[in-house]
């Protein structure tokens, strides 16, 4: 097992912020939704998440620094560490990076994780939700059809035939746990593992239900509703807590994770909360000024291009951008003026331009801010590109 610091690519003195940042980058890189479910990425995702989960917690980190990973496994009260699986990794990622502040609480209760409940917890179901820029601008409610595992009708989810009661496991006596006392150089400690006979459930089924073969679940389709707040990006997820697949034999439900995919608009380019639109104008329009209708998220808006505008200059239409999910407020639409040079002149146009050439002033050595005082200083916006 690689060193946790190496896995995250941080130094041993890295602070929590650095660790968080490094993890986020790696997690997004290896996130299963971005890797077509590749097993290798899944494994990497799990590894970096496990490393992050330890190093972000000062207590676990201190134990790890002194005793290594082995120290964490042996520690009673180290938060039940050990047996960190992929579902746990997804849960950690969603907890720290997936949601929006406060929003998750709208979707269900986040209960404390009991160790036994975890082992029987149903799987997290992941699905994609494509969104248009208009959905992002206003927020949207969507119904989703989800294929998941639901309680078997024949046995009521118990997994036992005809609803017969499962028997208490005679290996662990129903506790679901096997305890082993171990000795190591650090002293004696007790390790607790799920019972191998009953898999930690504490009960065994003697007569399995023929429909679900004792699993307590069958495949089903459910309709869920998801409410997407305005201002989301493709980096956001929405977690519908406890609405995923049922766990085996009545185990608690996993989550549904909705991965948002904001589709590109054909003419508007998103830059954070702002939208950028490129507006080609003719030379005459640029020199004399003009009024033009331009597309916005919801339709069109009229923009006044002032005479003397230079190619590449930005005009700002306040409030016509997208809502800002994190900071609140509303972005702007930035209109980038591009002066278009005609490359196919009619004889009449050519004649007019030749006349112009005779009377026009020479171009300055540099296109500077000479002309941009007063009114210009207010409308001109440097293009930052994000
Ligand atoms: Zn059944
Ligand atoms: Zn048992």
């Amino acid at each position: 097992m690689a060193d946790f610091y190496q896995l995250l690519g941080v130094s041993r003195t890295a602070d929590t912020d650095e660790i968080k940042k490094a993890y986020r980058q790696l997690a997004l890189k290896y996130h299963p939704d971005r890797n077509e479910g590749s097993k290798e990425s899944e494994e990497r995702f799990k590894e970096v998440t496990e490393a992050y989960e330890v190093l972000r917690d000062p207590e676990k980190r201190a134990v790890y620094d002194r005793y290594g990973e082995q120290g964490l496994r042996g520690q009673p009260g180290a938060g039940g560490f050990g047996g960190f699986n992929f579902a746990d990794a997804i849960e950690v990622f969603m907890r720290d990076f997936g949601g929006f502040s406060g929003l998750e609480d709208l979707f269900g209760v986040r209960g404390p994780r009991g160790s036994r409940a975890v082992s029987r917890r149903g799987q997290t179901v992941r699905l994609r939700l494509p969104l248009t820029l208009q959905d992002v601008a206003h927020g949207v409610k969507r119904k989703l059809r989800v294929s998941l595992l639901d309680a078997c009708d024949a046995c009521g989810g118990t997994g036992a035939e005809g609803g017969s009661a499962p028997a208490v496991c005679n290996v662990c006596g129903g506790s679901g746990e096997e305890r082993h006392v171990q000795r190591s150089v650090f002293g004696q400690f007790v390790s607790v593992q799920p019972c191998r006979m009953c898999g930690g459930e504490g009960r065994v089924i003697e007569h399995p239900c023929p429909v679900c073969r004792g699993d307590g679940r069958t495949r089903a389709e459910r309709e869920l509703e998801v409410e997407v707040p305005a201002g989301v990006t493709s980096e956001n997820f929405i977690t519908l807590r406890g609405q995923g697949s049922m766990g085996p034999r009545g185990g608690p439900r996993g989550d549904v994770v909705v991965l948002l995919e904001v589709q590109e608009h054909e003419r508007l380019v998103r830059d954070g909360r702002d939208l950028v639109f490129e507006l080609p104008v003719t030379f005459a329009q640029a020199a004399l000024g003009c009024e033009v209708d331009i597309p916005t998220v919801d339709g069109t808006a009229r923009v006044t291009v002032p005479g003397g505008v230079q190619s590449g200059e930005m005009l700002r239409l306040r409030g016509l951008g997208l809502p800002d999910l994190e900071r609140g407020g509303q972005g702007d639409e930035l209109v980038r003026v591009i002066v278009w040079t005609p490359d196919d002149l009619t004889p009449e146009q050519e004649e007019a331009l030749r006349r112009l050439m005779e009377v026009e002033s020479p171009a300055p050595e540099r296109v500077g801010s000479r002309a941009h005082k007063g009114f210009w200083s207010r409308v001109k916006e440097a293009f930052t590109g994000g």
Side-chain angles (χ1 to χ4, degrees), residues 49-343:
T49 306
E50 186 172 17
Y52 164 73
E53 188 63 353
V54 169
L55 299 186
R56 63 173 271 283
D57 179 322
E59 276 178 38
K60 285 185 195 167
R61 185 175 176 181
V63 172
Y64 178 75
D65 285 346
R66 290 186 71 184
Y67 305 121
E69 223 177 312
Q70 207 50 42
L72 291 162
R73 300 213 188 281
Q75 277 265 317
F81 202 78
F84 193 83
N85 63 29
F86 182 65
D88 295 329
I90 284 284
E91 196 169 305
V92 166
F93 179 73
M94 298 310 303
R95 180 195 67 205
D96 290 2
F97 299 101
F100 326 104
S101 42
L103 193 81
E104 288 178 22
D105 299 334
L106 293 175
F107 295 111
V109 188
R110 227 193 308 188
R113 295 172 27 181
S115 57
R116 274 185 57 187
V118 166
S119 65
R120 289 178 59 200
R121 208 177 144 176
Q123 273 187 320
T124 297
V125 178
R126 290 186 293 277
L127 44 97
R128 294 157 198 275
L129 176 61
L131 297 171
T132 64
L133 214 48
Q134 216 172 355
D135 295 333
V136 173
H138 305 291
V140 69
K141 259 189 202 175
R142 281 281 158 75
K143 288 202 193 316
L144 304 171
R145 289 200 73 77
V146 188
S147 170
L148 42 64
L149 292 167
D150 240 334
C152 167
D153 286 335
C155 61
T158 62
E161 183 169 24
S164 61
V168 172
C169 171
N170 56 19
V171 172
C172 62
S175 72
E177 293 172 348
E178 277 184 73
R179 287 162 182 272
H180 300 278
V181 177
Q182 292 183 11
R183 296 187 65 82
S184 79
V185 285
F186 310 117
Q188 178 176 305
F189 56 82
V190 178
S191 84
V192 181
Q193 285 174 331
C195 168
R196 277 165 301 176
M197 180 65 194
C198 61
E201 292 180 28
R203 288 182 290 179
V204 270
I205 290 167
E206 286 164 332
H207 305 287
C209 164
V211 176
C212 62
R213 296 197 184 90
D215 183 58
R217 304 176 294 179
T218 47
R219 199 145 271 288
E221 286 229 324
R222 289 181 92 201
E223 192 170 77
L224 300 175
E225 193 173 72
V226 61
E227 191 169 353
V228 182
V232 293
T233 70
S234 295
E235 302 251 297
N236 292 129
F237 303 80
I238 291 177
T239 306
L240 305 175
R241 299 232 169 248
Q243 298 196 46
S245 281
M246 194 114 186
R249 291 167 290 284
R253 283 187 186 278
D255 301 330
V256 172
V257 172
V258 183
L259 173 64
L260 305 180
E261 284 183 349
V262 181
Q263 319 277 287
E264 277 183 27
H265 191 276
E266 51 182 25
R267 306 196 61 191
L268 300 171
V269 176
R270 184 176 189 176
D271 179 22
R273 61 187 218 157
D274 296 329
L275 295 170
V276 181
F277 175 70
E278 281 205 348
L279 174 66
V281 295
T282 64
F283 172 67
Q285 282 177 314
L288 301 173
C290 60
E291 291 211 331
V292 191
D293 283 332
I294 57 153
T296 62
V297 172
D298 289 315
T300 57
R302 179 142 278 222
V303 60
T304 303
V305 179
V309 70
Q310 300 297 343
S311 197
E313 274 188 60
M314 288 283 204
L315 308 175
R316 185 176 288 262
L317 302 180
R318 296 240 173 249
L320 288 185
L322 300 170
D324 192 321
L325 184 67
E326 277 163 32
R327 290 173 295 169
Q330 185 90 11
D332 305 324
E333 181 164 332
L334 306 175
V335 181
R336 186 162 189 242
V337 178
I338 305 291
V339 177
W340 168 73
T341 309
D343 53 5

